Amino acid sequence: MRAIIVLVLLYGTSVFADVPKHIQECMDCHGPEGVSQHEDMPTIAGASANFIEETFAAYQYDMRKEVKSKYRFGDTSRKPTSMKKLAKTLNDDQIAEAATYFSNLPFV
């Protein structure tokens, strides 16, 4: 059993080691690889890059209601966050990179 736990920890660490921090932060709420395990948090894996970018823009320009959520993965000791606040901290290149990353993942 210990060997399995160690392998899972090593595999999980190595898989996300090359993923930029702003994309890892998306996974903190939306789930590993953008697949949510919670009904109040959407799965973003497999969504079109255009949809993801437009969603970020809607939050940045106050065209979409603020959604607050608790972190469910990663650093769960942080305070709840909001997509509106998060979207305003990212630049266009980071948003495009996140959109491309999640759009290339399979929808589950």
Side-chain angles (χ1 to χ4, degrees), residues 47-98:
S48 75
N50 189 49
F51 171 77
I52 294 171
E53 288 185 47
E54 287 180 1
T55 300
F56 270 108
Y59 284 120
Q60 286 178 319
Y61 297 104
D62 298 323
M63 298 170 61
R64 188 167 178 168
K65 184 178 177 185
E66 182 174 53
V67 177
K68 293 185 180 182
S69 177
K70 60 184 177 180
Y71 291 97
R72 295 186 166 109
F73 305 96
D75 182 6
T76 58
S77 65
R78 294 181 285 185
K79 293 180 181 180
T81 191
S82 74
M83 278 297 298
K84 186 182 282 191
K85 188 174 183 180
L86 176 65
K88 290 180 180 185
T89 67
L90 300 177
N91 63 42
D92 291 343
D93 290 337
Q94 290 172 314
I95 290 171
E97 183 180 23

Side-chain angles (χ1 to χ4, degrees), residues 27-32 35 37-38 71-76 78:
M27 291 185 241
D28 286 346
C29 293
H30 290 279
V35 178
Q37 304 295 313
H38 305 279
Y71 291 97
R72 295 186 166 109
F73 305 96
D75 182 6
T76 58
R78 294 181 285 185

